[in-house]
Amino acid sequence: MNTTKALHILKDNGYKHTKQRKKLLHLLQLYDQYLSVKQIWTDFQEDFPGASYDTVYRNLYTLSELGIIESTQLNGEKHFRFHCDTHGHHHHFICTDCGKTSPIDICPMDDVRGMLPEHQIENHTFEVYGKCPRCH
């Protein structure tokens, strides 16, 4: 995913192209890793000092609902990054120090479905946390 594609998705879903949304998308593309709302908000305030934390948070959730970005829980806090659309369905290893991610191209859901034959699974998450080689 990139900023241009994201802006097209926003427009196709009736959202206006604003400087604030463009800045959020730019930050997500720039870092290319999971970022906390606080990290994003801190950088966002450099260009928009009057912006509230809630405004950034709401926009991130809108981007998430549209499939532009994905989220995860890290240390009890929501983190966001651009949606990976180059690997198909996959999961991530997430470095707990620097936030960099590495794709995991397997999914445990086939095994889980076999263990729960009469259950209807609606969604799932699977992430592995630890230290990347650079931080280890």
Side-chain angles (χ1 to χ4, degrees):
M1 182 75 63
N2 62 40
T3 301
T4 303
K5 186 174 179 181
L7 289 169
H8 285 294
I9 292 170
L10 282 164
K11 183 179 178 184
D12 291 346
N13 284 278
Y15 291 92
K16 293 180 181 178
H17 176 156
T18 65
K19 292 177 187 175
Q20 291 88 352
R21 286 192 182 117
K22 189 172 182 179
K23 175 67 176 184
L24 283 176
L25 294 169
H26 172 74
L27 289 172
L28 291 164
Q29 187 170 5
L30 178 68
Y31 289 104
D32 190 31
Q33 67 188 51
Y34 280 103
L35 298 167
S36 71
V37 179
K38 185 176 181 180
Q39 289 169 301
I40 296 167
W41 181 61
T42 299
D43 284 356
F44 187 79
Q45 284 192 305
E46 290 177 13
D47 289 345
F48 303 99
S52 73
Y53 183 87
D54 288 341
T55 297
V56 171
Y57 198 78
R58 276 193 312 273
N59 275 288
L60 290 170
Y61 267 90
T62 297
L63 296 170
S64 181
E65 288 172 1
L66 293 174
I68 294 169
I69 63 174
E70 53 192 49
S71 65
T72 190
Q73 288 286 118
L74 186 57
N75 298 325
E77 187 178 3
K78 203 79 141 160
H79 285 64
F80 298 90
R81 66 168 281 148
F82 259 123
H83 183 69
C84 299
D85 58 2
T86 59
H87 297 288
H89 179 79
H90 68 283
H91 300 281
H92 295 108
F93 170 88
I94 303 167
C95 181
T96 54
D97 277 355
C98 71
K100 290 286 185 185
T101 63
S102 300
I104 300 172
D105 293 324
I106 60 168
C107 180
M109 285 310 297
D110 290 336
D111 293 335
V112 171
R113 282 187 184 96
M115 293 179 218
L116 301 167
E118 296 183 26
H119 295 77
Q120 181 180 351
I121 298 170
E122 296 177 359
N123 198 356
H124 72 281
T125 60
F126 176 71
E127 287 132 351
V128 178
Y129 301 95
K131 307 280 189 274
C132 70
R134 191 182 74 183
C135 294
H136 179 45

